[in-house]
Amino acid sequence: METIFNKNKEEHPEPIKAEVQGQLPTWLQGILLRNGPGMHTIGDTKYNHWFDGLALLHSFTFKNGEVYYRSKYLRSDSYNCNIEANRIVVSEFGTMAYPDPCKNIFAKAFSYLSHTIPEFTDNCLINIMKSGDDYYATSETNFIRKINPQTLETLEKVDYNKYIAVNVATSHPHYDSAGNILNMGTSIVDKGKTKYLLFKIPSSVPETEKKKSCFKHMEVVCSIPSRSLLQPSYYHSFGITENYIVFIEQPFKLDIVKMATAYIRSVNWASCLAFHKDDKTWFHFVDRKTKKDVSTKFYTDALVLYHHVNAYEEDGHIIFDIIAYTDNSLYDMFYLKKLSKDFEENNKLTSIPTCKRFVVPLQYDKDAEVGSNLVTLPTSATAVKEKDGSIYCQPEILCEGIELPHINYGYNGKKYTYVYATEVQWSPVPTKIAKLNVQTKEMLHWRADHCWPSEPIFVPSPDAREEDDGVVLTCVVTSDPKEAPFLLILDAKTFKELGRARVNVEMHLDLHGMFIPEKALKTETE
């Protein structure tokens, strides 16, 4: 049964002019570049999981009131090997690939050995990252692929592991005011230790080394030892404030021993991830100047999170907002066998995503009584001192049922008011776009029948005075075959629809991406 999820999408490498309805702001010039899985069947083989599909980049280019669409598969080594073999030959997180049964026994034995410490895929299908003037498709392995944001052409492959010892890295880096990238990755059993590394990729290289890449100047800023050598925490993002890195070590863990034997046991790597519901979730705050983790132990109950929303400091407290679940049912929802025709009725999350605000007092009275709440800001979030000196934190609930949060990045790490997100409730597929005011908890919504919007991207207007001066862009696919998909443009302040750019193609559901203003694009001759 082919659905919107598992049907292979055609690529459209030449620009297609979109039919624009409504009025687009004249200042909106640039490229919305998005990434996500687009091909799930190769020859007679199929991926098991929606997140395994081959990366399909697509873009909407805004030029003088006109909008052009194009899409192109990332020509990763994984893509090329699979297409050439006409079958899946490179393993993804949810799909283990095996050698052709016709190959000889030695080739098979060698293949088993090489999978113990797996050579991960470069199928970079999750997000887009900006490094200096260049753009990269990213996933959660140690590989990223440079791309041309205008033509969507695939360029060189970069292996983080050549520069620093990381086996996996997040697809949600942060950028400092100078444009340097800050990201986190896990170093697994390196010199007998497993640790979480914060690393920096500079935005430019010294004049004398103009021919060298920024990656040669990558540096590890600091490391946080994993609480467990062979079961590091899985994480998809992290938070940042003016002075601290916010890292959450959740009891959603990768079992390294199981991973090493997964191939021989004929199971996928995803089966090596487990949620330990009776464990604690530990908060780490690394001082960006001293590069040291705050010594007080802060924790909360077991949770699973993928997306940090934002974090900031106020009166000696760190405030951070996350989207959290009480279990790990989300990943399992996206196995393609579950995404059949009636999946909306049959496929329900057992935990609803909840936007939680934690308020952590870094400066508190050390003589405070055991059992007292150390939070002094007006919030229902608490931080209670325990007998052993650790501090047990409970959140304030900001709202339920939102995912894929996005903010005005100019307010990243600062006190802020607005989150733009998709609304999901109990089904894993978004049906609405929401704007949440985190101060008042008021919400605005956009929805339309048969429409599935993707992650909303906020684009500030050039003369913005307030945090929500700008537009929100989201790619919308429709479950009605008579309706063409479109890019939706909303006024970020009022959440009223400004316009649509409709394209008569089969658009894929994507994951993440970014808007690149025209001035940030290199001209073709550069």
Side-chain angles (χ1 to χ4, degrees), residues 51 224 487:
F51 295 159
I224 300 167
L487 178 72

Side-chain angles (χ1 to χ4, degrees), residues 330-399:
L330 181 74
Y331 184 84
D332 293 341
M333 293 280 99
F334 286 95
Y335 275 104
L336 288 169
K337 63 175 186 281
K338 292 192 178 180
L339 298 172
S340 60
K341 199 173 190 315
D342 308 317
F343 78 91
E344 285 189 272
E345 286 72 53
N346 305 338
N347 209 3
K348 295 277 184 268
L349 287 162
T350 51
S351 159
I352 194 164
T354 305
C355 187
K356 295 184 174 181
R357 165 163 290 186
F358 285 92
V359 180
V360 177
L362 287 190
Q363 295 159 14
Y364 61 91
D365 177 4
K366 299 291 182 270
D367 302 323
E369 281 180 40
V370 169
S372 60
N373 174 22
L374 306 173
V375 175
T376 55
L377 296 174
T379 172
S380 58
T382 58
V384 173
K385 186 174 175 183
E386 306 272 279
K387 273 202 188 75
D388 62 0
S390 64
I391 293 172
Y392 172 52
C393 303
Q394 286 279 59
E396 175 182 346
I397 304 298
L398 298 181
C399 87

Side-chain angles (χ1 to χ4, degrees), residues 55 69 72 136 180 192 376 442 526:
Y69 176 82
K72 198 171 165 95
Y136 292 83
N180 303 307
T376 55
E442 289 170 297
E526 275 180 57

